[in-house]
Amino acid sequence: MYSFIAKRLAIAVPTLLILIIFSFILMFAAPGGPFGGERPPPAAVLANIEARYGLDQPYIVQMFSYVKNVVFYFDFGPSFQYRDRTVNDVIAQGFPVTLTYGAWSALVAVVVGVSLGVAAAIRQNTWLDYLAVGITIGAQALPNFVMAPVLVLLFTLGLGWLPGGGWSGGLLIDACDAGDRLCFNNPFGGAVRFDYLILPVIALSTSYMASIARITRSSMLEVMNSNFIRTAIANGLPMRRVIFRHALKPALLPVISYLGPAVVGMITGSVVVDVAFSTGGIGQFFVNSAFNRDYAVILGITILVGALTILFNLLVDVLYAWIDPKIWY
């Protein structure tokens, strides 16, 4: 197993390096500049600004300097639009928010999706199966850019139960407000509140939950009809033991393959969710940077998402090999 992990790391490291170089080349080739705009400054002022950010250097020098700073110092350089702030500062402000509701979304999607898929497969062609299939089809037919405004209309403007935007500064706060029903005292100190999390989590996790449920159902049906499961049932093993000890593990292999990019998609958030609920996550910074031509922030967020994708695919490969030792790459 250790040699397998070492081989996967040996592939992941150069892949990440190629990603950084290729992203820099694409961003450098993009038309326009970060300081041009509709009313560009005088040529002398523009030359001074470019010299300050090192943009007057030859292309190769800029690329090697950028790659060196990212690889050895994890420094993405200064932002072109946010004065006196670096790209690291922007990511450090937005990523914890996105990671918080993304991690909860991943947890909800996996738990609900797997449970729904297993229940539908075990009760195939019953009302429970039809209900689960109907829920997953309906969930996939409602993308998050439709789900987000519908949730705000229903639970914020209609019922007034939940906030339709903003961020409370995270889950942990000093103390609960009087009458706050979604705030709970933490036995280890402080308090925990969930009201700002619920709508973004529902909007982000619904479509992923539907995909996980459908993959789990089809995989579980295939495993339940295999010979070793039929033999286990014929020998009189309890159905609960057959499902949880013999069927669930091989049935989850396709789900694990899907979880690599899916989890990255959730923990790095969604541009739609960040903008719709004004969470202040990195998706919102990404959109603002695209409009303002802040190439440094765009490049930093792109590399962050790419690095997380490589990391989670590596974890999925290791988990896959651990669950099924017959698999060898």
Side-chain angles (χ1 to χ4, degrees):
M1 178 60 76
Y2 293 111
S3 63
F4 172 76
I5 296 174
K7 289 179 182 177
R8 300 302 296 170
L9 283 173
I11 297 174
V13 171
T15 303
L16 180 59
L17 188 61
I18 293 172
L19 168 71
I20 297 172
I21 296 174
F22 192 64
S23 300
F24 184 89
I25 293 173
L26 286 180
M27 200 59 62
F28 192 88
F35 307 111
E38 297 179 356
R39 299 179 60 184
V45 176
L46 182 61
N48 288 333
I49 295 175
E50 290 182 344
R52 177 187 173 189
Y53 290 98
L55 301 180
D56 58 338
Q57 298 293 320
Y59 162 69
I60 296 296
V61 175
Q62 291 184 45
M63 185 178 70
F64 276 100
S65 175
Y66 184 81
V67 173
K68 183 189 72 175
N69 290 332
V70 171
V71 172
F72 292 103
Y73 308 109
F74 199 67
D75 181 8
F76 293 101
S79 167
F80 295 149
Q81 296 295 332
Y82 299 100
R83 293 184 178 179
D84 301 325
R85 298 190 67 186
T86 65
V87 177
N88 294 51
D89 295 333
V90 174
I91 293 176
Q93 179 182 342
F95 187 59
V97 176
T98 304
L99 181 63
T100 301
Y101 76 75
W104 280 100
S105 301
L107 180 65
V108 170
V110 171
V111 173
V112 178
V114 171
S115 303
L116 205 59
V118 171
I122 295 172
R123 303 297 184 204
Q124 186 185 14
N125 295 328
T126 64
W127 67 268
L128 183 58
D129 184 21
Y130 299 144
L131 177 64
V133 172
I135 291 174
T136 55
I137 292 176
Q140 284 190 320
L142 288 175
N144 53 16
F145 62 84
V146 176
M147 183 73 76
V150 169
L151 291 173
V152 172
L153 284 173
L154 181 61
F155 292 103
T156 303
L157 301 179
L159 300 174
W161 289 353
L162 295 168
W167 189 253
S168 65
L171 284 174
L172 298 176
I173 58 176
D174 295 333
C176 295
D177 296 331
D180 192 345
R181 294 173 296 178
L182 293 173
C183 185
F184 305 92
N185 290 320
N186 186 354
F188 301 101
V192 182
R193 62 183 305 171
F194 295 94
D195 48 353
Y196 285 88
L197 269 178
I198 295 176
L199 295 188
V201 167
I202 294 175
L204 183 59
S205 64
T206 304
S207 59
Y208 290 104
M209 178 274 296
S211 298
I212 292 172
R214 292 174 67 85
I215 295 172
T216 304
R217 178 183 179 275
S218 60
S219 178
M220 195 72 183
L221 283 175
E222 183 179 350
V223 173
M224 291 298 290
N225 290 321
S226 58
N227 291 332
F228 74 97
I229 294 295
R230 294 181 182 215
T231 303
I233 296 175
N235 286 332
L237 289 180
M239 184 55 73
R240 179 177 299 179
R241 185 176 178 184
V242 171
I243 293 171
F244 288 101
R245 187 163 183 177
H246 300 287
L248 190 58
K249 191 173 177 180
L252 287 181
L253 289 177
V255 180
I256 291 172
S257 297
Y258 172 77
L259 284 181
V263 171
V264 174
M266 284 185 275
I267 66 172
T268 54
S270 163
V271 171
V272 174
V273 172
D274 278 332
V275 173
F277 295 103
S278 301
T279 59
I282 58 173
Q284 201 159 5
F285 284 109
F286 190 83
V287 173
N288 294 336
S289 301
F291 283 127
N292 296 323
R293 294 185 177 182
D294 192 347
Y295 297 146
V297 173
I298 297 174
L299 196 55
I301 295 176
T302 302
I303 293 172
L304 174 66
V305 174
L308 289 174
T309 303
I310 294 172
L311 173 64
F312 275 87
N313 280 328
L314 172 66
L315 294 178
V316 165
D317 287 345
V318 174
L319 188 59
Y320 216 99
W322 176 69
I323 290 178
D324 189 357
K326 293 183 295 184
I327 296 175
W328 185 256
Y329 296 87

mmCIF file of all heavy atoms in Angstrom, residues 247-269:
data_model
loop_
_atom_site.group_PDB
_atom_site.id
_atom_site.type_symbol
_atom_site.label_atom_id
_atom_site.label_comp_id
_atom_site.label_asym_id
_atom_site.label_seq_id
_atom_site.Cartn_x
_atom_site.Cartn_y
_atom_site.Cartn_z
ATOM 1 N N ALA A 247 -22.786 -6.556 1.171
ATOM 2 C CA ALA A 247 -23.238 -5.888 -0.063
ATOM 3 C C ALA A 247 -22.823 -4.424 -0.129
ATOM 4 O O ALA A 247 -22.496 -3.917 -1.205
ATOM 5 C CB ALA A 247 -24.763 -5.992 -0.176
ATOM 6 N N LEU A 248 -22.845 -3.744 1.016
ATOM 7 C CA LEU A 248 -22.646 -2.297 0.985
ATOM 8 C C LEU A 248 -21.239 -1.911 0.531
ATOM 9 O O LEU A 248 -21.061 -0.951 -0.237
ATOM 10 C CB LEU A 248 -22.932 -1.710 2.370
ATOM 11 C CG LEU A 248 -23.001 -0.183 2.452
ATOM 12 C CD1 LEU A 248 -24.060 0.355 1.507
ATOM 13 C CD2 LEU A 248 -23.286 0.262 3.874
ATOM 14 N N LYS A 249 -20.248 -2.657 0.969
ATOM 15 C CA LYS A 249 -18.857 -2.295 0.652
ATOM 16 C C LYS A 249 -18.571 -2.335 -0.850
ATOM 17 O O LYS A 249 -18.091 -1.338 -1.410
ATOM 18 C CB LYS A 249 -17.919 -3.232 1.415
ATOM 19 C CG LYS A 249 -16.468 -2.815 1.393
ATOM 20 C CD LYS A 249 -15.665 -3.724 2.313
ATOM 21 C CE LYS A 249 -14.186 -3.393 2.270
ATOM 22 N NZ LYS A 249 -13.401 -4.278 3.152
ATOM 23 N N PRO A 250 -18.855 -3.440 -1.562
ATOM 24 C CA PRO A 250 -18.620 -3.391 -3.020
ATOM 25 C C PRO A 250 -19.560 -2.439 -3.742
ATOM 26 O O PRO A 250 -19.202 -1.899 -4.789
ATOM 27 C CB PRO A 250 -18.845 -4.848 -3.452
ATOM 28 C CG PRO A 250 -19.667 -5.460 -2.379
ATOM 29 C CD PRO A 250 -19.279 -4.783 -1.114
ATOM 30 N N ALA A 251 -20.756 -2.221 -3.190
ATOM 31 C CA ALA A 251 -21.705 -1.323 -3.864
ATOM 32 C C ALA A 251 -21.253 0.127 -3.809
ATOM 33 O O ALA A 251 -21.679 0.941 -4.637
ATOM 34 C CB ALA A 251 -23.097 -1.460 -3.238
ATOM 35 N N LEU A 252 -20.404 0.471 -2.846
ATOM 36 C CA LEU A 252 -19.986 1.866 -2.698
ATOM 37 C C LEU A 252 -18.800 2.232 -3.583
ATOM 38 O O LEU A 252 -18.409 3.407 -3.623
ATOM 39 C CB LEU A 252 -19.631 2.145 -1.232
ATOM 40 C CG LEU A 252 -20.811 2.244 -0.269
ATOM 41 C CD1 LEU A 252 -20.320 2.538 1.141
ATOM 42 C CD2 LEU A 252 -21.793 3.315 -0.711
ATOM 43 N N LEU A 253 -18.199 1.261 -4.274
ATOM 44 C CA LEU A 253 -17.029 1.574 -5.109
ATOM 45 C C LEU A 253 -17.346 2.619 -6.188
ATOM 46 O O LEU A 253 -16.588 3.587 -6.352
ATOM 47 C CB LEU A 253 -16.473 0.293 -5.732
ATOM 48 C CG LEU A 253 -15.763 -0.660 -4.764
ATOM 49 C CD1 LEU A 253 -15.335 -1.924 -5.490
ATOM 50 C CD2 LEU A 253 -14.550 0.031 -4.149
ATOM 51 N N PRO A 254 -18.433 2.485 -6.948
ATOM 52 C CA PRO A 254 -18.735 3.548 -7.928
ATOM 53 C C PRO A 254 -19.028 4.896 -7.265
ATOM 54 O O PRO A 254 -18.712 5.954 -7.833
ATOM 55 C CB PRO A 254 -19.976 3.014 -8.660
ATOM 56 C CG PRO A 254 -19.980 1.555 -8.407
ATOM 57 C CD PRO A 254 -19.379 1.368 -7.061
ATOM 58 N N VAL A 255 -19.619 4.865 -6.072
ATOM 59 C CA VAL A 255 -19.902 6.122 -5.361
ATOM 60 C C VAL A 255 -18.606 6.810 -4.975
ATOM 61 O O VAL A 255 -18.470 8.037 -5.087
ATOM 62 C CB VAL A 255 -20.771 5.841 -4.115
ATOM 63 C CG1 VAL A 255 -21.062 7.133 -3.366
ATOM 64 C CG2 VAL A 255 -22.059 5.157 -4.516
ATOM 65 N N ILE A 256 -17.637 6.024 -4.517
ATOM 66 C CA ILE A 256 -16.349 6.609 -4.122
ATOM 67 C C ILE A 256 -15.655 7.256 -5.324
ATOM 68 O O ILE A 256 -15.050 8.322 -5.209
ATOM 69 C CB ILE A 256 -15.470 5.521 -3.480
ATOM 70 C CG1 ILE A 256 -16.072 5.112 -2.134
ATOM 71 C CG2 ILE A 256 -14.044 6.005 -3.290
ATOM 72 C CD1 ILE A 256 -15.401 3.935 -1.502
ATOM 73 N N SER A 257 -15.757 6.612 -6.492
ATOM 74 C CA SER A 257 -15.165 7.209 -7.692
ATOM 75 C C SER A 257 -15.796 8.564 -8.005
ATOM 76 O O SER A 257 -15.116 9.504 -8.412
ATOM 77 C CB SER A 257 -15.356 6.265 -8.881
ATOM 78 O OG SER A 257 -14.686 5.058 -8.674
ATOM 79 N N TYR A 258 -17.096 8.646 -7.777
ATOM 80 C CA TYR A 258 -17.796 9.910 -8.054
ATOM 81 C C TYR A 258 -17.473 10.976 -7.002
ATOM 82 O O TYR A 258 -17.473 12.173 -7.299
ATOM 83 C CB TYR A 258 -19.306 9.640 -8.086
ATOM 84 C CG TYR A 258 -20.158 10.878 -8.171
ATOM 85 C CD1 TYR A 258 -20.301 11.567 -9.378
ATOM 86 C CD2 TYR A 258 -20.819 11.375 -7.053
ATOM 87 C CE1 TYR A 258 -21.074 12.700 -9.460
ATOM 88 C CE2 TYR A 258 -21.592 12.514 -7.129
ATOM 89 C CZ TYR A 258 -21.721 13.170 -8.331
ATOM 90 O OH TYR A 258 -22.490 14.314 -8.399
ATOM 91 N N LEU A 259 -17.168 10.536 -5.767
ATOM 92 C CA LEU A 259 -16.999 11.495 -4.672
ATOM 93 C C LEU A 259 -15.762 12.373 -4.827
ATOM 94 O O LEU A 259 -15.723 13.467 -4.260
ATOM 95 C CB LEU A 259 -16.923 10.758 -3.334
ATOM 96 C CG LEU A 259 -18.254 10.249 -2.784
ATOM 97 C CD1 LEU A 259 -18.036 9.563 -1.452
ATOM 98 C CD2 LEU A 259 -19.243 11.403 -2.638
ATOM 99 N N GLY A 260 -14.737 11.916 -5.558
ATOM 100 C CA GLY A 260 -13.524 12.722 -5.686
ATOM 101 C C GLY A 260 -13.813 14.112 -6.233
ATOM 102 O O GLY A 260 -13.676 15.121 -5.527
ATOM 103 N N PRO A 261 -14.236 14.229 -7.502
ATOM 104 C CA PRO A 261 -14.557 15.568 -8.026
ATOM 105 C C PRO A 261 -15.773 16.193 -7.369
ATOM 106 O O PRO A 261 -15.863 17.424 -7.273
ATOM 107 C CB PRO A 261 -14.804 15.299 -9.522
ATOM 108 C CG PRO A 261 -15.108 13.854 -9.623
ATOM 109 C CD PRO A 261 -14.358 13.173 -8.524
ATOM 110 N N ALA A 262 -16.730 15.361 -6.892
ATOM 111 C CA ALA A 262 -17.944 15.926 -6.284
ATOM 112 C C ALA A 262 -17.632 16.664 -4.986
ATOM 113 O O ALA A 262 -18.126 17.776 -4.755
ATOM 114 C CB ALA A 262 -18.972 14.827 -6.030
ATOM 115 N N VAL A 263 -16.805 16.062 -4.140
ATOM 116 C CA VAL A 263 -16.452 16.715 -2.868
ATOM 117 C C VAL A 263 -15.676 18.002 -3.127
ATOM 118 O O VAL A 263 -15.891 19.022 -2.453
ATOM 119 C CB VAL A 263 -15.648 15.745 -1.979
ATOM 120 C CG1 VAL A 263 -15.081 16.468 -0.769
ATOM 121 C CG2 VAL A 263 -16.531 14.608 -1.518
ATOM 122 N N VAL A 264 -14.782 17.977 -4.107
ATOM 123 C CA VAL A 264 -14.051 19.208 -4.441
ATOM 124 C C VAL A 264 -15.025 20.283 -4.908
ATOM 125 O O VAL A 264 -14.918 21.457 -4.523
ATOM 126 C CB VAL A 264 -13.003 18.928 -5.532
ATOM 127 C CG1 VAL A 264 -12.347 20.221 -5.979
ATOM 128 C CG2 VAL A 264 -11.952 17.976 -5.018
ATOM 129 N N GLY A 265 -15.998 19.879 -5.734
ATOM 130 C CA GLY A 265 -17.001 20.848 -6.196
ATOM 131 C C GLY A 265 -17.790 21.455 -5.057
ATOM 132 O O GLY A 265 -18.194 22.626 -5.120
ATOM 133 N N MET A 266 -18.012 20.669 -3.985
ATOM 134 C CA MET A 266 -18.786 21.202 -2.854
ATOM 135 C C MET A 266 -17.936 22.038 -1.906
ATOM 136 O O MET A 266 -18.363 23.111 -1.478
ATOM 137 C CB MET A 266 -19.447 20.035 -2.114
ATOM 138 C CG MET A 266 -20.661 19.467 -2.849
ATOM 139 S SD MET A 266 -21.546 18.191 -1.934
ATOM 140 C CE MET A 266 -20.598 16.745 -2.392
ATOM 141 N N ILE A 267 -16.730 21.552 -1.567
ATOM 142 C CA ILE A 267 -15.946 22.307 -0.581
ATOM 143 C C ILE A 267 -15.323 23.568 -1.177
ATOM 144 O O ILE A 267 -14.914 24.461 -0.442
ATOM 145 C CB ILE A 267 -14.841 21.443 0.067
ATOM 146 C CG1 ILE A 267 -13.790 21.059 -0.967
ATOM 147 C CG2 ILE A 267 -15.414 20.252 0.759
ATOM 148 C CD1 ILE A 267 -12.584 20.377 -0.343
ATOM 149 N N THR A 268 -15.229 23.628 -2.510
ATOM 150 C CA THR A 268 -14.783 24.887 -3.108
ATOM 151 C C THR A 268 -15.973 25.772 -3.454
ATOM 152 O O THR A 268 -15.794 26.854 -3.997
ATOM 153 C CB THR A 268 -13.959 24.636 -4.381
ATOM 154 O OG1 THR A 268 -14.709 23.815 -5.286
ATOM 155 C CG2 THR A 268 -12.653 23.958 -4.052
ATOM 156 N N GLY A 269 -17.171 25.277 -3.125
ATOM 157 C CA GLY A 269 -18.351 26.117 -3.234
ATOM 158 C C GLY A 269 -18.865 26.293 -4.641
ATOM 159 O O GLY A 269 -18.402 25.672 -5.583
#
